[in-house]
PDB file of all heavy atoms in Angstrom:
ATOM      1  N   TYR A1690     115.872 -45.933 -46.679  1.00  0.00           N
ATOM      2  CA  TYR A1690     116.059 -46.319 -45.278  1.00  0.00           C
ATOM      3  C   TYR A1690     116.280 -47.832 -45.193  1.00  0.00           C
ATOM      4  O   TYR A1690     115.632 -48.606 -45.893  1.00  0.00           O
ATOM      5  CB  TYR A1690     114.850 -45.897 -44.440  1.00  0.00           C
ATOM      6  CG  TYR A1690     114.714 -44.395 -44.373  1.00  0.00           C
ATOM      7  CD1 TYR A1690     113.815 -43.714 -45.192  1.00  0.00           C
ATOM      8  CD2 TYR A1690     115.535 -43.647 -43.529  1.00  0.00           C
ATOM      9  CE1 TYR A1690     113.711 -42.326 -45.157  1.00  0.00           C
ATOM     10  CE2 TYR A1690     115.437 -42.256 -43.489  1.00  0.00           C
ATOM     11  CZ  TYR A1690     114.530 -41.606 -44.300  1.00  0.00           C
ATOM     12  OH  TYR A1690     114.445 -40.243 -44.272  1.00  0.00           O
ATOM     13  N   ASN A1691     117.176 -48.233 -44.322  1.00  0.00           N
ATOM     14  CA  ASN A1691     117.616 -49.616 -44.238  1.00  0.00           C
ATOM     15  C   ASN A1691     116.470 -50.528 -43.778  1.00  0.00           C
ATOM     16  O   ASN A1691     115.997 -50.390 -42.652  1.00  0.00           O
ATOM     17  CB  ASN A1691     118.796 -49.732 -43.276  1.00  0.00           C
ATOM     18  CG  ASN A1691     119.494 -51.072 -43.359  1.00  0.00           C
ATOM     19  OD1 ASN A1691     118.918 -52.062 -43.803  1.00  0.00           O
ATOM     20  ND2 ASN A1691     120.741 -51.118 -42.928  1.00  0.00           N
ATOM     21  N   PRO A1692     116.029 -51.477 -44.623  1.00  0.00           N
ATOM     22  CA  PRO A1692     114.911 -52.339 -44.234  1.00  0.00           C
ATOM     23  C   PRO A1692     115.252 -53.292 -43.095  1.00  0.00           C
ATOM     24  O   PRO A1692     114.349 -53.839 -42.458  1.00  0.00           O
ATOM     25  CB  PRO A1692     114.605 -53.108 -45.528  1.00  0.00           C
ATOM     26  CG  PRO A1692     115.897 -53.096 -46.282  1.00  0.00           C
ATOM     27  CD  PRO A1692     116.531 -51.773 -45.967  1.00  0.00           C
ATOM     28  N   GLN A1693     116.532 -53.490 -42.805  1.00  0.00           N
ATOM     29  CA  GLN A1693     116.911 -54.349 -41.679  1.00  0.00           C
ATOM     30  C   GLN A1693     116.541 -53.723 -40.340  1.00  0.00           C
ATOM     31  O   GLN A1693     116.587 -54.388 -39.308  1.00  0.00           O
ATOM     32  CB  GLN A1693     118.400 -54.648 -41.721  1.00  0.00           C
ATOM     33  CG  GLN A1693     118.807 -55.495 -42.925  1.00  0.00           C
ATOM     34  CD  GLN A1693     120.225 -56.004 -42.819  1.00  0.00           C
ATOM     35  OE1 GLN A1693     120.738 -56.207 -41.726  1.00  0.00           O
ATOM     36  NE2 GLN A1693     120.861 -56.216 -43.961  1.00  0.00           N
ATOM     37  N   ALA A1694     116.157 -52.445 -40.366  1.00  0.00           N
ATOM     38  CA  ALA A1694     115.748 -51.770 -39.132  1.00  0.00           C
ATOM     39  C   ALA A1694     114.534 -52.432 -38.505  1.00  0.00           C
ATOM     40  O   ALA A1694     114.290 -52.282 -37.306  1.00  0.00           O
ATOM     41  CB  ALA A1694     115.456 -50.297 -39.400  1.00  0.00           C
ATOM     42  N   GLY A1695     113.766 -53.175 -39.311  1.00  0.00           N
ATOM     43  CA  GLY A1695     112.618 -53.873 -38.742  1.00  0.00           C
ATOM     44  C   GLY A1695     113.029 -54.868 -37.679  1.00  0.00           C
ATOM     45  O   GLY A1695     112.298 -55.092 -36.704  1.00  0.00           O
ATOM     46  N   VAL A1696     114.205 -55.469 -37.825  1.00  0.00           N
ATOM     47  CA  VAL A1696     114.683 -56.439 -36.841  1.00  0.00           C
ATOM     48  C   VAL A1696     115.021 -55.738 -35.531  1.00  0.00           C
ATOM     49  O   VAL A1696     114.584 -56.154 -34.452  1.00  0.00           O
ATOM     50  CB  VAL A1696     115.914 -57.199 -37.381  1.00  0.00           C
ATOM     51  CG1 VAL A1696     116.478 -58.119 -36.312  1.00  0.00           C
ATOM     52  CG2 VAL A1696     115.536 -57.983 -38.640  1.00  0.00           C
ATOM     53  N   SER A1697     115.777 -54.633 -35.613  1.00  0.00           N
ATOM     54  CA  SER A1697     116.141 -53.916 -34.383  1.00  0.00           C
ATOM     55  C   SER A1697     114.922 -53.277 -33.738  1.00  0.00           C
ATOM     56  O   SER A1697     114.793 -53.244 -32.510  1.00  0.00           O
ATOM     57  CB  SER A1697     117.206 -52.848 -34.679  1.00  0.00           C
ATOM     58  OG  SER A1697     116.740 -51.903 -35.640  1.00  0.00           O
ATOM     59  N   LEU A1698     113.986 -52.798 -34.555  1.00  0.00           N
ATOM     60  CA  LEU A1698     112.768 -52.184 -34.024  1.00  0.00           C
ATOM     61  C   LEU A1698     111.983 -53.174 -33.184  1.00  0.00           C
ATOM     62  O   LEU A1698     111.587 -52.866 -32.049  1.00  0.00           O
ATOM     63  CB  LEU A1698     111.897 -51.672 -35.175  1.00  0.00           C
ATOM     64  CG  LEU A1698     110.479 -51.243 -34.785  1.00  0.00           C
ATOM     65  CD1 LEU A1698     110.508 -50.033 -33.872  1.00  0.00           C
ATOM     66  CD2 LEU A1698     109.649 -50.965 -36.038  1.00  0.00           C
ATOM     67  N   TRP A1699     111.764 -54.378 -33.716  1.00  0.00           N
ATOM     68  CA  TRP A1699     110.925 -55.322 -32.992  1.00  0.00           C
ATOM     69  C   TRP A1699     111.667 -56.019 -31.863  1.00  0.00           C
ATOM     70  O   TRP A1699     111.048 -56.532 -30.936  1.00  0.00           O
ATOM     71  CB  TRP A1699     110.274 -56.297 -33.968  1.00  0.00           C
ATOM     72  CG  TRP A1699     109.276 -55.527 -34.766  1.00  0.00           C
ATOM     73  CD1 TRP A1699     109.372 -55.126 -36.062  1.00  0.00           C
ATOM     74  CD2 TRP A1699     108.062 -54.957 -34.265  1.00  0.00           C
ATOM     75  NE1 TRP A1699     108.287 -54.346 -36.401  1.00  0.00           N
ATOM     76  CE2 TRP A1699     107.473 -54.239 -35.315  1.00  0.00           C
ATOM     77  CE3 TRP A1699     107.416 -54.997 -33.032  1.00  0.00           C
ATOM     78  CZ2 TRP A1699     106.262 -53.562 -35.177  1.00  0.00           C
ATOM     79  CZ3 TRP A1699     106.214 -54.325 -32.886  1.00  0.00           C
ATOM     80  CH2 TRP A1699     105.651 -53.607 -33.954  1.00  0.00           C
ATOM     81  N   THR A1700     112.980 -55.974 -31.907  1.00  0.00           N
ATOM     82  CA  THR A1700     113.750 -56.408 -30.747  1.00  0.00           C
ATOM     83  C   THR A1700     113.531 -55.424 -29.600  1.00  0.00           C
ATOM     84  O   THR A1700     113.265 -55.805 -28.458  1.00  0.00           O
ATOM     85  CB  THR A1700     115.244 -56.509 -31.084  1.00  0.00           C
ATOM     86  OG1 THR A1700     115.418 -57.474 -32.132  1.00  0.00           O
ATOM     87  CG2 THR A1700     116.049 -56.929 -29.868  1.00  0.00           C
ATOM     88  N   LYS A1701     113.615 -54.126 -29.906  1.00  0.00           N
ATOM     89  CA  LYS A1701     113.363 -53.091 -28.899  1.00  0.00           C
ATOM     90  C   LYS A1701     111.933 -53.179 -28.378  1.00  0.00           C
ATOM     91  O   LYS A1701     111.687 -53.060 -27.172  1.00  0.00           O
ATOM     92  CB  LYS A1701     113.593 -51.698 -29.500  1.00  0.00           C
ATOM     93  CG  LYS A1701     115.029 -51.341 -29.800  1.00  0.00           C
ATOM     94  CD  LYS A1701     115.090 -49.935 -30.388  1.00  0.00           C
ATOM     95  CE  LYS A1701     116.501 -49.498 -30.708  1.00  0.00           C
ATOM     96  NZ  LYS A1701     116.542 -48.121 -31.272  1.00  0.00           N
ATOM     97  N   MET A1702     110.993 -53.378 -29.298  1.00  0.00           N
ATOM     98  CA  MET A1702     109.593 -53.416 -28.899  1.00  0.00           C
ATOM     99  C   MET A1702     109.346 -54.568 -27.927  1.00  0.00           C
ATOM    100  O   MET A1702     108.596 -54.433 -26.954  1.00  0.00           O
ATOM    101  CB  MET A1702     108.714 -53.568 -30.146  1.00  0.00           C
ATOM    102  CG  MET A1702     107.262 -53.255 -29.916  1.00  0.00           C
ATOM    103  SD  MET A1702     106.938 -51.486 -29.680  1.00  0.00           S
ATOM    104  CE  MET A1702     107.031 -50.915 -31.371  1.00  0.00           C
ATOM    105  N   GLY A1703     109.978 -55.711 -28.193  1.00  0.00           N
ATOM    106  CA  GLY A1703     109.827 -56.845 -27.295  1.00  0.00           C
ATOM    107  C   GLY A1703     110.403 -56.576 -25.927  1.00  0.00           C
ATOM    108  O   GLY A1703     109.855 -57.012 -24.908  1.00  0.00           O
ATOM    109  N   GLU A1704     111.510 -55.813 -25.889  1.00  0.00           N
ATOM    110  CA  GLU A1704     112.144 -55.513 -24.609  1.00  0.00           C
ATOM    111  C   GLU A1704     111.294 -54.599 -23.740  1.00  0.00           C
ATOM    112  O   GLU A1704     111.183 -54.804 -22.529  1.00  0.00           O
ATOM    113  CB  GLU A1704     113.514 -54.877 -24.860  1.00  0.00           C
ATOM    114  CG  GLU A1704     114.533 -55.848 -25.460  1.00  0.00           C
ATOM    115  CD  GLU A1704     115.810 -55.158 -25.898  1.00  0.00           C
ATOM    116  OE1 GLU A1704     115.842 -53.893 -25.892  1.00  0.00           O
ATOM    117  OE2 GLU A1704     116.777 -55.859 -26.265  1.00  0.00           O
ATOM    118  N   VAL A1705     110.653 -53.599 -24.335  1.00  0.00           N
ATOM    119  CA  VAL A1705     109.863 -52.657 -23.537  1.00  0.00           C
ATOM    120  C   VAL A1705     108.473 -53.184 -23.203  1.00  0.00           C
ATOM    121  O   VAL A1705     107.829 -52.690 -22.288  1.00  0.00           O
ATOM    122  CB  VAL A1705     109.735 -51.278 -24.230  1.00  0.00           C
ATOM    123  CG1 VAL A1705     111.096 -50.673 -24.466  1.00  0.00           C
ATOM    124  CG2 VAL A1705     108.934 -51.378 -25.516  1.00  0.00           C
ATOM    125  N   SER A1706     108.015 -54.192 -23.963  1.00  0.00           N
ATOM    126  CA  SER A1706     106.664 -54.709 -23.725  1.00  0.00           C
ATOM    127  C   SER A1706     106.675 -56.138 -23.199  1.00  0.00           C
ATOM    128  O   SER A1706     105.648 -56.813 -23.205  1.00  0.00           O
ATOM    129  CB  SER A1706     105.851 -54.643 -25.023  1.00  0.00           C
ATOM    130  OG  SER A1706     106.490 -55.367 -26.063  1.00  0.00           O
ATOM    131  N   ASN A1707     107.847 -56.592 -22.765  1.00  0.00           N
ATOM    132  CA  ASN A1707     107.984 -57.946 -22.201  1.00  0.00           C
ATOM    133  C   ASN A1707     107.473 -59.027 -23.157  1.00  0.00           C
ATOM    134  O   ASN A1707     106.817 -59.988 -22.742  1.00  0.00           O
ATOM    135  CB  ASN A1707     107.238 -58.046 -20.868  1.00  0.00           C
ATOM    136  CG  ASN A1707     107.844 -57.154 -19.808  1.00  0.00           C
ATOM    137  OD1 ASN A1707     109.065 -57.041 -19.708  1.00  0.00           O
ATOM    138  ND2 ASN A1707     106.995 -56.497 -19.026  1.00  0.00           N
ATOM    139  N   GLY A1708     107.739 -58.820 -24.442  1.00  0.00           N
ATOM    140  CA  GLY A1708     107.383 -59.818 -25.440  1.00  0.00           C
ATOM    141  C   GLY A1708     105.990 -59.698 -26.003  1.00  0.00           C
ATOM    142  O   GLY A1708     105.653 -60.349 -26.978  1.00  0.00           O
ATOM    143  N   ALA A1709     105.148 -58.845 -25.401  1.00  0.00           N
ATOM    144  CA  ALA A1709     103.783 -58.674 -25.901  1.00  0.00           C
ATOM    145  C   ALA A1709     103.728 -57.487 -26.849  1.00  0.00           C
ATOM    146  O   ALA A1709     104.442 -56.507 -26.656  1.00  0.00           O
ATOM    147  CB  ALA A1709     102.825 -58.434 -24.730  1.00  0.00           C
ATOM    148  N   PRO A1710     102.886 -57.524 -27.898  1.00  0.00           N
ATOM    149  CA  PRO A1710     102.789 -56.391 -28.804  1.00  0.00           C
ATOM    150  C   PRO A1710     102.143 -55.202 -28.109  1.00  0.00           C
ATOM    151  O   PRO A1710     101.285 -55.373 -27.241  1.00  0.00           O
ATOM    152  CB  PRO A1710     101.905 -56.917 -29.941  1.00  0.00           C
ATOM    153  CG  PRO A1710     101.108 -58.013 -29.312  1.00  0.00           C
ATOM    154  CD  PRO A1710     101.993 -58.630 -28.273  1.00  0.00           C
ATOM    155  N   PRO A1711     102.528 -53.964 -28.459  1.00  0.00           N
ATOM    156  CA  PRO A1711     101.897 -52.783 -27.872  1.00  0.00           C
ATOM    157  C   PRO A1711     100.473 -52.643 -28.382  1.00  0.00           C
ATOM    158  O   PRO A1711     100.054 -53.329 -29.312  1.00  0.00           O
ATOM    159  CB  PRO A1711     102.777 -51.636 -28.385  1.00  0.00           C
ATOM    160  CG  PRO A1711     103.327 -52.161 -29.676  1.00  0.00           C
ATOM    161  CD  PRO A1711     103.540 -53.620 -29.453  1.00  0.00           C
ATOM    162  N   GLN A1712      99.737 -51.719 -27.773  1.00  0.00           N
ATOM    163  CA  GLN A1712      98.328 -51.549 -28.107  1.00  0.00           C
ATOM    164  C   GLN A1712      98.119 -51.268 -29.589  1.00  0.00           C
ATOM    165  O   GLN A1712      97.176 -51.772 -30.196  1.00  0.00           O
ATOM    166  CB  GLN A1712      97.748 -50.394 -27.283  1.00  0.00           C
ATOM    167  CG  GLN A1712      96.270 -50.142 -27.542  1.00  0.00           C
ATOM    168  CD  GLN A1712      95.738 -49.003 -26.700  1.00  0.00           C
ATOM    169  OE1 GLN A1712      96.457 -48.402 -25.913  1.00  0.00           O
ATOM    170  NE2 GLN A1712      94.482 -48.693 -26.880  1.00  0.00           N
ATOM    171  N   TRP A1713      99.028 -50.515 -30.199  1.00  0.00           N
ATOM    172  CA  TRP A1713      98.811 -50.087 -31.585  1.00  0.00           C
ATOM    173  C   TRP A1713      98.968 -51.226 -32.577  1.00  0.00           C
ATOM    174  O   TRP A1713      98.602 -51.102 -33.732  1.00  0.00           O
ATOM    175  CB  TRP A1713      99.723 -48.923 -31.948  1.00  0.00           C
ATOM    176  CG  TRP A1713     101.180 -49.266 -32.002  1.00  0.00           C
ATOM    177  CD1 TRP A1713     101.968 -49.633 -30.969  1.00  0.00           C
ATOM    178  CD2 TRP A1713     102.017 -49.275 -33.145  1.00  0.00           C
ATOM    179  NE1 TRP A1713     103.249 -49.868 -31.397  1.00  0.00           N
ATOM    180  CE2 TRP A1713     103.306 -49.644 -32.722  1.00  0.00           C
ATOM    181  CE3 TRP A1713     101.816 -48.978 -34.503  1.00  0.00           C
ATOM    182  CZ2 TRP A1713     104.383 -49.745 -33.594  1.00  0.00           C
ATOM    183  CZ3 TRP A1713     102.898 -49.077 -35.363  1.00  0.00           C
ATOM    184  CH2 TRP A1713     104.159 -49.449 -34.911  1.00  0.00           C
ATOM    185  N   LEU A1714      99.523 -52.367 -32.135  1.00  0.00           N
ATOM    186  CA  LEU A1714      99.612 -53.531 -33.014  1.00  0.00           C
ATOM    187  C   LEU A1714      99.210 -54.793 -32.260  1.00  0.00           C
ATOM    188  O   LEU A1714      99.846 -55.832 -32.364  1.00  0.00           O
ATOM    189  CB  LEU A1714     101.036 -53.685 -33.559  1.00  0.00           C
ATOM    190  CG  LEU A1714     101.433 -52.691 -34.654  1.00  0.00           C
ATOM    191  CD1 LEU A1714     102.871 -52.942 -35.089  1.00  0.00           C
ATOM    192  CD2 LEU A1714     100.518 -52.819 -35.863  1.00  0.00           C
ATOM    193  N   SER A1715      98.136 -54.713 -31.503  1.00  0.00           N
ATOM    194  CA  SER A1715      97.784 -55.791 -30.591  1.00  0.00           C
ATOM    195  C   SER A1715      97.365 -57.068 -31.298  1.00  0.00           C
ATOM    196  O   SER A1715      97.370 -58.137 -30.688  1.00  0.00           O
ATOM    197  CB  SER A1715      96.650 -55.331 -29.671  1.00  0.00           C
ATOM    198  OG  SER A1715      95.512 -54.950 -30.426  1.00  0.00           O
ATOM    199  N   THR A1716      96.991 -56.985 -32.564  1.00  0.00           N
ATOM    200  CA  THR A1716      96.540 -58.186 -33.259  1.00  0.00           C
ATOM    201  C   THR A1716      97.661 -58.880 -34.016  1.00  0.00           C
ATOM    202  O   THR A1716      97.434 -59.912 -34.639  1.00  0.00           O
ATOM    203  CB  THR A1716      95.429 -57.834 -34.266  1.00  0.00           C
ATOM    204  OG1 THR A1716      95.933 -56.890 -35.217  1.00  0.00           O
ATOM    205  CG2 THR A1716      94.224 -57.260 -33.563  1.00  0.00           C
ATOM    206  N   HIS A1717      98.846 -58.319 -33.973  1.00  0.00           N
ATOM    207  CA  HIS A1717      99.931 -58.874 -34.783  1.00  0.00           C
ATOM    208  C   HIS A1717     100.835 -59.777 -33.963  1.00  0.00           C
ATOM    209  O   HIS A1717     101.116 -59.491 -32.809  1.00  0.00           O
ATOM    210  CB  HIS A1717     100.780 -57.751 -35.386  1.00  0.00           C
ATOM    211  CG  HIS A1717     101.624 -58.205 -36.521  1.00  0.00           C
ATOM    212  ND1 HIS A1717     102.745 -58.979 -36.347  1.00  0.00           N
ATOM    213  CD2 HIS A1717     101.503 -58.021 -37.854  1.00  0.00           C
ATOM    214  CE1 HIS A1717     103.281 -59.242 -37.522  1.00  0.00           C
ATOM    215  NE2 HIS A1717     102.547 -58.675 -38.458  1.00  0.00           N
ATOM    216  N   PRO A1718     101.311 -60.882 -34.547  1.00  0.00           N
ATOM    217  CA  PRO A1718     102.286 -61.705 -33.833  1.00  0.00           C
ATOM    218  C   PRO A1718     103.533 -60.894 -33.509  1.00  0.00           C
ATOM    219  O   PRO A1718     103.992 -60.097 -34.316  1.00  0.00           O
ATOM    220  CB  PRO A1718     102.591 -62.836 -34.823  1.00  0.00           C
ATOM    221  CG  PRO A1718     102.102 -62.353 -36.146  1.00  0.00           C
ATOM    222  CD  PRO A1718     100.978 -61.414 -35.872  1.00  0.00           C
ATOM    223  N   ALA A1719     104.061 -61.067 -32.320  1.00  0.00           N
ATOM    224  CA  ALA A1719     105.181 -60.248 -31.866  1.00  0.00           C
ATOM    225  C   ALA A1719     106.458 -61.067 -31.806  1.00  0.00           C
ATOM    226  O   ALA A1719     106.471 -62.272 -32.070  1.00  0.00           O
ATOM    227  CB  ALA A1719     104.869 -59.657 -30.494  1.00  0.00           C
ATOM    228  N   GLY A1720     107.536 -60.377 -31.436  1.00  0.00           N
ATOM    229  CA  GLY A1720     108.793 -61.026 -31.119  1.00  0.00           C
ATOM    230  C   GLY A1720     109.392 -61.853 -32.231  1.00  0.00           C
ATOM    231  O   GLY A1720     109.428 -61.434 -33.387  1.00  0.00           O
TER     232      GLY A1720
END
Side-chain angles (χ1 to χ4, degrees):
Y1690 295 99
N1691 192 338
Q1693 294 191 29
V1696 175
S1697 59
L1698 169 65
W1699 291 106
T1700 299
K1701 290 180 180 180
M1702 196 72 77
E1704 291 171 351
V1705 301
S1706 57
N1707 295 320
Q1712 181 180 359
W1713 67 294
L1714 285 179
S1715 59
T1716 59
H1717 197 287

